[in-house]
Structures are given as structure tokens and as C-alpha cells.
Amino acid sequence: MADLRKDPVTGRWVIISTERQKRPSEFQIETVTTRPDSLCPFCEGHEDKTPPEILAYRNGTPANAKGWEVRVVPNKFPALRVEGNLDREGEGLFDRMNGIGAHEVIIETPDHSLTLATMNEQAIERVFWAWRDRVLDLKQDFRLRYIVIFKNHGASAGASLEHAHSQLIALPIVPREMGEELDGAKRHYQQKERCVFCDVIRQETKDGSRLISDSPEFVAMAPYAPRFPFETWLLPKRHASRFEDASRGEYASLARMVRETLQRMNSALLSPPYNLIVHSSPLQDNATEYYHWHIEIMPKLTRVAGFEWGTGFYINPTGPEEAADVLRRVKL
Ligand SMILES: [Zn+2]
Ligand SMILES: [Zn+2]
Ligand SMILES: [Zn+2]
């Protein structure tokens, strides 16, 4: 029997189709590997192959030269640009804006052979500091309303270069998916005077069936109504609405949990491609009681097909309890 489940935050329904249940090994997937690439523009020594850096963590070495740990550069083919004024106009039904924003690439390591699953914890933590530094800088531009930080790992997850990197897009609007989460969280708060994500953490740590791992600062869990097989959420236990407000200890703990979660996926799902997305409050909002930042990781194991596009409903062939169990059992 298929199981229809409703996400407690967004109210989005998903179909968990247990009849089509697949074992982790049955997914037709890409296994992501890194091959040496002498032309890779993100490798150390190739700094002249990217636009000049916006930010880099260096030990006294000159900008745009060797000797860095994390490097942030503008995207060579940006979806949006910072220059110009924000003009909004409408033609009858249709609204449009010019492409104000920013599109940046965070090169996570100078070493082509490493990934977030194999880098050391300090190196992963530095990536989070780079995300935070860029958010704090871009936030000063009041035209920008939202920053999406995301990572495409593997060609079928949308990565065009295999060297470990994440991306940041700053937008003059709040994207619809985020709007749905924010509205859902607000609704819950108005009814219960509690953060829905704090409620989820409390219930999931008590219940345990969808819990993947647990530390004093974070939980990794399969959500109750996941859109995709092995969809995983990492949530800070301390209530905070903005990623950039996390403490040093929380970034260190998150580094450990991201690394561990990706290692679990690599082991159980044969190094799958994945998308990782940071969900945080809109830029010009103050810290709120109702929203709770988190990270969502979606291994790319199935294709989104016509039914999903046509209905907004997702059919997920793996229940979250099974997914959590598989990931939890991985010996690290
Ligand atoms: Zn490279
Ligand atoms: Zn909360
Ligand atoms: Zn979210």
C-alpha cells in the first residue's frame, strides 16, 4: 500500500510507494569519482583561470596566487549580477525585475582529489566560515532579499566541474520554496507558540525511527515526508533562524556531521551524486522565533518525472524509516 504523508512544515504531500520499494543497491545511479584534470580552473596553481577572487583564506600569500585554503570567485557565467539598479516593472499580469543579485563559487579545497566526505573537519569548517563571511558581506546590500547556498555534487546533480565547490546566489526576491517553508513555520508558531522545527527535533529524537545521528549540537534525520529517497536534514538543536548566527562550536560540530553523513551515503549508496542546500531566514529579516535554519541533502537517485511536474506531488520509493535505518547502520 502506498502511504500518503504530509510534511509538518510546508503541508506538502508525498507518496511513499512501498510497493516500488527499492533496495539501496537497486538504484540506477552515477557513482561520483574524481579524475585528475590538468585543465581544472579550481586547482591550486590555476588561479588565473577564474575571475579575480572575492575572498580567500590565505596565510599571507598574495591574492590570486597559490597558497590558499578556501577561495571564493564570481561565477564565470552568472545567473545574476550585482551592478545596476533594481527596477521593477509590470506588463499587465506579468511582473519582472532586472537581474540584480550575485552568483559566486566557493572553491572548497585547493586539492582536486578531495570532497566534503574526505576533507578533514577543520577544512570543512572553513567552508562554512566562507559561506558566513559572504552572507554577512552581501547582506549589507539592502536590495538583496535572499541568499541560496547550495552544492551540486556529481554530473547528474548538476555539477559542471568535479573539483569540490559550492555556490551562492543572492536574489532580490524570496524564492517560492522558501516562502512555503516560512509561511508554514509562521502558521505553526501562531497556533502553538513554538517553532515547528524545534518540535520536529524533539519528537524525532524521542521516537528515533528516522534519526540517523545525534550530537550535542545537531541531529541528522530523514524527514517524515521526504520528497526523495534518502533525503536527509541536518538541524541545529539550538533554535536559530539564520545560518550566519551559528557559533564556532556549532560550525565545528556541523563539519563533523556533514562529513559523517556524506560518508554514510557514500558507503550505503555507492558515492551518489547529491544536492546540498542551506535553508536560512531571508536576509533583511531579524532573527525570528518561528524559523529554524537547517541543511537538506538530497542524493540524486531517481529522476523527477511528469507526475511530479504535473502535480507537485512526489513519489518516493524509499520510506524514511528504512532510509534512516540503512544510513544509521553504516560502520564509519
Ligand atoms: Zn581541480
Ligand atoms: Zn526552532
Ligand atoms: Zn528546508
Side-chain angles (χ1 to χ4, degrees):
M1 268 289 281
D3 192 10
L4 263 73
R5 295 194 183 189
K6 189 178 169 186
D7 182 78
V9 184
T10 57
R12 174 181 55 217
W13 285 90
V14 300
I15 301 173
I16 309 291
S17 175
T18 43
E19 264 147 55
R20 304 207 284 167
Q21 182 94 307
K22 283 186 176 184
R23 294 170 178 282
S25 59
E26 285 168 357
F27 288 106
Q28 294 268 312
I29 46 172
E30 169 196 358
T31 290
V32 183
T33 50
T34 43
R35 290 160 299 265
D37 177 2
S38 58
L39 298 174
C40 173
F42 294 168
C43 277
E44 184 165 39
H46 293 177
E47 290 75 13
D48 60 339
K49 293 199 170 77
T50 63
E53 66 200 34
I54 298 166
L55 168 77
Y57 297 156
R58 300 176 164 279
N59 296 316
T61 50
N64 301 303
K66 282 181 162 188
W68 47 274
E69 286 161 329
V70 177
R71 198 166 170 254
V72 182
V73 298
N75 192 302
K76 234 178 170 171
F77 307 103
L80 298 160
R81 290 174 196 278
V82 195
E83 60 259 20
N85 294 315
L86 180 59
D87 296 318
R88 218 187 162 135
E89 54 185 80
E91 292 170 56
L93 276 175
F94 307 117
D95 274 330
R96 56 181 281 185
M97 274 190 233
N98 56 355
I100 284 286
H103 191 171
E104 302 178 359
V105 177
I106 299 92
I107 308 170
E108 296 167 343
T109 164
D111 185 340
H112 193 86
S113 67
L114 296 178
T115 69
L116 282 189
T118 54
M119 283 157 63
N120 68 43
E121 284 165 21
Q122 291 87 327
I124 300 170
E125 192 187 329
R126 274 195 293 269
V127 172
F128 302 151
W129 284 103
W131 291 352
R132 176 181 181 272
D133 282 349
R134 292 309 304 139
V135 169
L136 292 179
D137 182 36
L138 287 163
K139 214 171 165 167
Q140 294 172 35
D141 184 337
F142 288 100
R143 297 169 305 175
L144 301 175
R145 298 285 317 283
Y146 197 78
I147 290 181
V148 196
I149 299 170
F150 63 100
K151 183 173 165 68
N152 302 332
H153 175 79
S156 36
S160 48
L161 285 165
E162 70 181 24
H163 192 120
H165 68 284
S166 34
Q167 302 182 59
L168 169 162
I169 293 187
L171 299 160
I173 43 170
V174 176
R176 197 192 68 172
E177 289 251 334
M178 263 320 289
E180 284 175 4
E181 257 192 28
L182 289 160
D183 290 348
K186 218 179 268 178
R187 212 159 38 231
H188 184 93
Y189 190 82
Q190 280 161 357
Q191 286 165 6
K192 310 208 168 160
E193 294 186 3
R194 288 190 315 263
C195 160
V196 62
F197 294 95
C198 286
D199 279 358
V200 165
I201 295 168
R202 205 171 303 122
Q203 186 160 334
E204 296 293 359
T205 44
K206 197 159 57 169
D207 171 88
S209 64
R210 284 174 294 273
L211 207 61
I212 298 162
S213 58
D214 191 8
S215 78
E217 297 83 13
F218 282 87
V219 288
M221 50 165 269
Y224 174 73
R227 290 154 289 174
F228 308 104
F230 293 87
E231 175 174 343
T232 299
W233 294 2
L234 309 188
L235 297 119
K237 285 187 176 166
R238 179 177 72 92
H239 177 85
S241 57
R242 303 185 293 198
F243 167 80
E244 65 270 26
D245 292 341
S247 68
R248 186 167 282 275
E250 283 170 320
Y251 287 133
S253 178
L254 178 63
R256 211 170 307 133
M257 196 164 270
V258 163
R259 181 171 195 266
E260 192 192 291
T261 304
L262 294 174
Q263 286 177 351
R264 288 179 192 280
M265 288 180 179
N266 282 352
S267 167
L269 305 168
L270 311 172
S271 301
Y274 66 82
N275 298 108
L276 177 154
I277 303 154
V278 179
H279 278 177
S280 181
S281 268
L283 290 183
Q284 311 307 339
D285 284 10
N286 294 322
T288 64
E289 289 299 314
Y290 63 86
Y291 193 67
H292 193 123
W293 76 269
H294 56 278
I295 287 182
E296 299 186 3
I297 304 176
M298 264 87 66
K300 187 99 185 159
L301 304 172
T302 48
R303 281 173 223 283
V304 172
F307 179 75
E308 280 87 353
W309 289 122
T311 59
F313 260 86
Y314 287 87
I315 302 179
N316 181 346
T318 307
E321 296 76 20
E322 200 220 343
D325 187 54
V326 167
L327 294 177
R328 203 167 42 224
R329 280 165 190 268
V330 170
K331 297 253 183 314
L332 295 168

